[in-house]
Amino acid sequence: MKKMFMLFAMLFPVFLYAQTDVVALVREGKFDEALSGLQAEIKNGDLSFETLEMLGNVAFQISESKGSKKNILEAIDWAMPILEKNAFQQDFSPAQQARIFHKYNTLFAKKAQLQGAAAALKVLPQVFDNADKSIALDPDFAEPYFVKASVDDEVPAVMGDVAKRGENPKYRMGINIELALEREPENIYFLTQAAAALMKRNWSVAVREKNADGAVKNKMLLLSDKEEAKMLLTRAVAAYKSKSNPSQIEKEKYEQALKLQAKLH
């Protein structure tokens, strides 16, 4: 269970609107300093969408760092209530509300992970409910679909549907992967992580069809998991090569994609 929520790392920050000084600190990997800057801005009354989104991103980056557990939990505990309280500001659009609440949800899940496997498993139904709340606000927002797929990937199949949805979690994983990629078809992180998840599941075409259990047939049922993984990795490599200035996380996912491709040949 050590890998529980590992794929929440797909929520790497996209700093499109953030403050220049904080962006500079983040690019240098100075997340604690970036958080301090954001804390000062928030204490001065800045609760804009841009600041809240950056707060969620920076707090999550700190949670993924090698810092002390105490400092990580302090950062999460400071950010979570602010995100939760301010996610649904009336002057935010539904899409903005979805993104801020999603940042809260990732920290909610991460905190449970840090508290141990039992705590992580206990919150999974709420993680799914929170993801659905973001999706209801913005059905075109890809990340919540991928969060649900990531959880189902990491929970061992023998544990069944710990999200308590009454569904086959490994089949549901594939559906949510597809829904995320329909919305962000060139997301290198999604493509690589989805391929890794499908390689681990390793269903044949027959098993896919059996597990669909009467669901509407879709094009991916015509492929085995390994065949689909090959296609996704090809897309990941092509997407990376098309970028003039890939991020560090995209470079890491590209390297992972090449290693996964080697395993499939």
Side-chain angles (χ1 to χ4, degrees):
M1 299 305 292
K2 291 182 179 179
K3 292 185 177 180
M4 184 68 68
F5 297 119
M6 281 291 288
L7 295 188
F8 279 117
M10 67 90 173
L11 301 162
F12 58 92
V14 180
F15 303 109
L16 297 181
Y17 308 103
Q19 301 83 340
T20 302
D21 54 342
V22 175
V23 172
L25 289 170
V26 169
R27 290 189 182 280
E28 295 172 11
K30 298 178 180 178
F31 300 117
D32 290 334
E33 291 91 332
L35 181 62
S36 295
L38 289 167
Q39 287 174 329
E41 292 177 11
I42 290 169
K43 288 177 181 177
N44 286 331
D46 183 356
L47 293 171
S48 64
F49 166 72
E50 294 81 10
T51 295
L52 292 173
E53 183 178 43
M54 177 64 87
L55 173 64
N57 286 330
V58 169
F60 188 81
Q61 286 293 324
I62 290 173
S63 78
E64 289 286 290
S65 72
K66 295 181 180 179
S68 72
K69 184 175 179 180
K70 178 178 180 291
N71 289 342
I72 289 172
L73 286 173
E74 284 179 353
I76 290 175
D77 286 339
W78 197 88
M80 277 182 61
I82 293 172
L83 295 171
E84 183 180 25
K85 180 180 178 180
N86 294 284
F88 303 107
Q89 291 186 38
Q90 290 187 348
D91 57 342
F92 287 174
S93 69
Q96 289 175 324
Q97 292 178 3
R99 280 155 180 74
I100 299 304
F101 189 67
H102 177 65
K103 303 301 180 187
Y104 161 78
N105 194 31
T106 63
L107 295 177
F108 171 71
K110 186 66 179 180
K111 181 177 180 179
Q113 177 198 5
L114 291 169
Q115 292 172 332
L121 288 171
K122 185 177 180 180
V123 305
L124 285 184
Q126 188 62 52
V127 170
F128 267 66
D129 288 348
N130 290 345
D132 284 342
K133 190 169 185 177
S134 290
I135 290 168
L137 287 163
D138 182 6
D140 292 328
F141 185 24
E143 289 184 3
Y145 297 101
F146 206 79
V147 163
K148 294 198 291 183
S150 300
V151 171
D152 281 334
D153 172 46
E154 291 298 339
V155 176
V158 294
M159 296 188 69
D161 183 16
V162 295
K164 299 181 181 179
R165 296 298 181 92
E167 302 167 316
N168 180 330
K170 294 304 177 184
Y171 174 72
R172 180 178 61 206
M173 178 192 79
I175 295 300
N176 280 312
I177 283 173
E178 192 171 343
L179 289 169
L181 287 172
E182 283 176 359
R183 288 154 177 80
E184 291 192 28
E186 295 187 0
N187 186 309
I188 297 168
Y189 196 104
F190 286 2
L191 290 164
T192 303
Q193 293 296 120
L198 291 171
M199 289 170 66
K200 183 165 63 174
R201 190 177 73 170
N202 196 26
W203 283 358
S204 66
V205 173
V207 173
R208 278 187 168 211
E209 290 179 342
K210 179 181 178 181
N211 280 280
D213 193 27
V216 176
K217 294 290 189 272
N218 60 67
K219 60 185 178 181
M220 289 307 183
L221 287 177
L222 301 175
L223 302 172
S224 70
D225 281 353
K226 284 187 177 179
E227 289 169 336
E228 185 182 351
K230 286 181 181 180
M231 291 178 58
L232 296 179
L233 292 169
T234 298
R235 286 166 55 187
V237 170
Y240 178 82
K241 290 182 177 179
S242 71
K243 289 185 174 291
S244 59
N245 186 28
S247 67
Q248 182 58 39
I249 192 71
E250 287 172 333
K251 292 178 183 177
E252 293 172 2
K253 292 295 106 180
Y254 169 68
E255 293 171 358
Q256 182 185 359
L258 294 179
K259 291 178 181 178
L260 292 174
Q261 280 185 325
K263 290 182 179 181
L264 289 171
H265 290 302

